[in-house]
Amino acid sequence: MNPALTPELVQEAAVAQGVCARPVISRVTDLETGEVRHIAIRCGSTREDRCPACADRAKRLRMQQCREGWHLDTEPEHDWSADDDEDLADVDDQGDEDDADGSRRVRSTRRRQGVPDLPKLPMRDWTVGRVYEAPDGKTYRPSMFLTLTLGSYGRVRPDGTPVDPTSYDYRRAALDALHFPKLVDRFWQNLRRCAGYRVQYFATIEAQRRLAPHLHAAMRGTIPRTVIRQVRAATYNQLWWPAHTEPVYVDRLPQWSDAVGGYVDPATGAVLSTWDQALDALGADPDAEPAHVLRFGDQDNIQGLLAGSPGTDRAIGYLCKYLHKDIAATYDDEDDPSPARVAHIDRLAEEVRWLPCAPTCANWLRYGVQPKDAAPGLVPGHCAHKAHDRANLGLGGRRVLVSRLWSGKTLSEHKADRAAVVRAALEEAGIDPDDHDELSVVGSDGRWSWELLGRNRVDAPTYAAAVAQAITTRQRWLREYEAAKTLAAARAGPAPPAAA
């Protein structure tokens, strides 16, 4: 290896050239000659702070997925008779809680007072939008772009930080973030009922400047704005969990007892209620209230868009704009965040740290309840679920939500489509497309032995040499692909003149 190629310099060059900077290194051995090579395989991260190149690839793939499904004019192939989708569920019951064995605990089937009812329309088995006809006879099939937000937790400045941090409702903000996906699921279920057809969507969950999650969604077809707003107002989620407002144990925590196979009070030795016992007590109390009720705020943004319009392209870019960023760092200058911003993130992260994220969360011990499937070693404040990470601020689930029949393709199939375009261009130019596959650079005739190396087994010279070779290979691939596109354009001839 060239002594000047330090790992730091190679890493900077990789980022600049769009090459994975933290690849998995594989040792490849030629079984006939004994020659050993080290191949850098992309890490596949979707986070820019981990790998800018892989995060950018993932974002572009999502943009393609969004674009292909938004304005479909033919139904994706699907066996409706075999559909066991949750879309068919009756969503009047806002008190169900799933148990681990698939059974359901039903608390109440009555809607909350003051919440408008939802209309019940017959469900039609199609997903494409309605076709409209203009007075001049032209037809068009618009779709929609939707943004939904949560309510206020207190006044904020333009940078999203609270005007008065002492009165800002951090606890409710944390609970809303932890359970936001449940509210989103309810919204889509309710909207499909009111729309009368199987609305398909490509949605992303991102953070506002105040760090509250909000939903951006591309929806296929059109629904009256008044209906969407009625559904938004009528959608809520009740969390029928044991009360967790005030902690029972702070300084002295419950201890595991092998004798009883559970956690006990540190002073008295009394066995804490199990998760199932706590839910049974909640269900037996006719005056019990849900631990938390989650609803959308009054602000929204609803737009109608046509395929191929500038507005559609802008919306796709906006949908995927922050997918490669952590929730906490969405709008920040990572090198120099303001003290108020840091304090705001820290306060919300601290609230999220101690609230339970799931029935199995260790934080239930603070509230005198044994987590579901409790085992020794649970420590409140140290739940391993990523919802508690400072980077996520309560949002531990998926950031991209795509309905089953959005494009009729899986993400892997979209990826294969992108690869097929490149292969076709290379073949047309007489270039071997297999040479543009990082896993085929040493051949595939069975004479090669591949061994993935753990990061602790890769020394600095090996890393630098492998990544430097990946940069050189990518530069060659780009030159060849650009030449192939130029050749294809020349063979196609000039574009026909635009219609007057």
Side-chain angles (χ1 to χ4, degrees):
M1 184 190 78
N2 185 337
L5 293 179
T6 65
E8 293 75 20
L9 288 176
V10 170
Q11 188 174 49
E12 290 180 8
V15 172
Q17 295 295 322
V19 173
C20 178
R22 55 186 300 274
V24 177
I25 306 298
S26 182
R27 181 164 57 202
V28 184
T29 304
D30 187 328
L31 299 179
E32 293 185 2
T33 67
E35 177 190 2
V36 176
R37 298 176 59 183
H38 290 92
I39 307 297
I41 302 173
R42 290 189 297 268
C43 68
S45 175
T46 59
R47 290 291 175 265
E48 186 181 50
D49 59 344
R50 299 176 185 172
C51 181
C54 288
D56 183 67
R57 289 170 65 94
K59 184 171 75 169
R60 291 178 183 276
L61 184 60
R62 286 296 191 181
M63 292 174 71
Q64 174 188 335
Q65 182 185 34
C66 180
R67 181 175 287 106
E68 286 196 21
W70 203 348
H71 296 88
L72 286 183
D73 55 8
T74 57
E75 291 289 345
E77 293 185 7
H78 186 66
D79 182 6
W80 295 110
S81 63
D83 197 341
D84 59 354
D85 196 328
E86 64 179 7
D87 306 341
L88 304 179
D90 181 351
V91 295
D92 265 351
D93 188 344
Q94 295 278 334
D96 288 0
E97 192 68 48
D98 287 323
D99 279 349
D101 60 3
S103 61
R104 295 179 68 82
R105 293 173 177 269
V106 179
R107 171 67 196 183
S108 171
T109 58
R110 297 191 304 272
R111 290 182 62 79
R112 293 183 64 83
Q113 293 184 356
V115 177
D117 291 331
L118 290 166
K120 295 184 179 181
L121 302 180
M123 180 64 71
R124 295 166 292 182
D125 288 341
W126 68 65
T127 70
V128 297
R130 173 185 169 188
V131 175
Y132 296 85
E133 184 174 353
D136 60 1
K138 292 183 179 180
T139 60
Y140 57 101
R141 191 193 302 267
S143 290
M144 305 191 78
F145 178 71
L146 169 68
T147 298
L148 296 179
T149 65
L150 292 166
S152 173
Y153 309 113
R155 293 177 57 207
V156 295
R157 299 183 177 91
D159 66 352
T161 59
V163 172
D164 180 11
T166 60
S167 63
Y168 194 82
D169 196 343
Y170 279 102
R171 185 177 189 277
R172 188 160 64 87
L175 285 169
D176 282 359
L178 284 165
H179 303 289
F180 188 68
K182 300 182 181 71
L183 183 67
V184 171
D185 287 345
R186 290 290 182 188
F187 173 78
W188 292 122
Q189 292 170 346
N190 289 345
L191 187 65
R192 282 173 173 161
R193 169 181 289 177
C194 296
Y197 73 101
R198 299 177 184 275
V199 179
Q200 300 299 304
Y201 56 86
F202 177 100
T204 59
I205 296 177
E206 298 173 352
Q208 296 178 287
R209 290 190 181 275
R210 59 180 177 146
L211 302 178
H214 64 159
L215 181 79
H216 297 306
M219 298 192 307
R220 189 153 71 237
T222 55
I223 304 169
R225 287 173 172 79
T226 54
V227 172
I228 294 176
R229 290 187 170 117
Q230 288 172 353
V231 172
R232 182 206 66 204
T235 298
Y236 62 93
N237 183 266
Q238 297 185 126
L239 188 66
W240 289 104
W241 279 3
H244 49 283
T245 303
E246 296 294 334
V248 177
Y249 300 99
V250 178
D251 297 325
R252 298 185 63 191
L253 297 174
Q255 301 171 351
W256 176 265
S257 169
D258 288 328
V260 300
Y263 285 87
V264 299
D265 184 284
T268 67
V271 182
L272 271 62
S273 297
T274 66
W275 175 256
D276 287 334
Q277 289 171 342
L279 289 189
D280 288 342
L282 184 67
D285 182 0
D287 298 321
E289 292 291 331
H292 185 62
V293 179
L294 184 62
R295 301 186 65 174
F296 289 110
D298 294 332
Q299 293 185 340
D300 58 38
N301 188 339
I302 306 172
Q303 303 175 31
L305 296 169
L306 292 174
S309 66
T312 296
D313 291 338
R314 285 194 298 270
I316 292 173
Y318 193 65
L319 272 163
C320 302
K321 183 176 182 180
Y322 297 116
L323 287 182
H324 59 301
K325 287 184 174 290
D326 292 330
I327 290 293
T330 300
Y331 298 98
D332 289 350
D333 179 352
E334 297 179 3
D335 297 327
D336 189 25
S338 70
R341 188 75 174 171
V342 172
H344 183 45
I345 294 174
D346 288 345
R347 181 65 182 84
L348 183 55
E350 182 70 6
E351 198 74 41
V352 169
R353 177 187 175 186
W354 296 104
L355 286 170
C357 64
T360 55
C361 183
N363 287 340
W364 281 114
L365 293 175
R366 298 186 79 219
Y367 300 98
V369 176
Q370 297 193 60
K372 193 172 185 66
D373 302 324
L378 297 180
V379 180
H382 296 275
C383 175
H385 195 281
K386 65 180 183 179
H388 298 288
D389 292 347
R390 187 180 187 276
N392 295 323
L393 297 177
L395 278 174
R398 292 172 293 130
R399 297 278 298 279
V400 182
L401 310 173
V402 186
S403 57
R404 181 178 299 182
L405 300 179
W406 174 251
S407 64
K409 300 177 185 178
T410 65
L411 198 60
S412 295
E413 289 170 333
H414 283 292
K415 184 177 181 180
D417 288 346
R418 291 173 63 88
V421 171
V422 175
R423 290 181 66 89
L426 294 173
E427 289 177 343
E428 183 68 18
I431 300 172
D432 181 7
D434 288 338
D435 185 46
H436 282 235
D437 183 345
E438 66 181 349
L439 299 182
S440 300
V441 294
V442 295
S444 56
D445 54 7
R447 62 182 281 188
W448 307 91
S449 171
W450 291 73
E451 180 187 5
L452 295 178
L453 303 180
R455 298 191 184 279
N456 60 346
R457 297 176 59 193
V458 179
D459 57 23
T462 299
Y463 165 85
V467 175
Q469 181 59 48
I471 294 172
T472 301
T473 301
R474 175 172 170 78
Q475 289 173 336
R476 175 173 61 83
W477 285 352
L478 287 175
R479 289 195 302 269
E480 292 176 347
Y481 183 51
E482 289 300 323
K485 291 196 298 182
T486 300
L487 178 60
R491 289 175 175 174

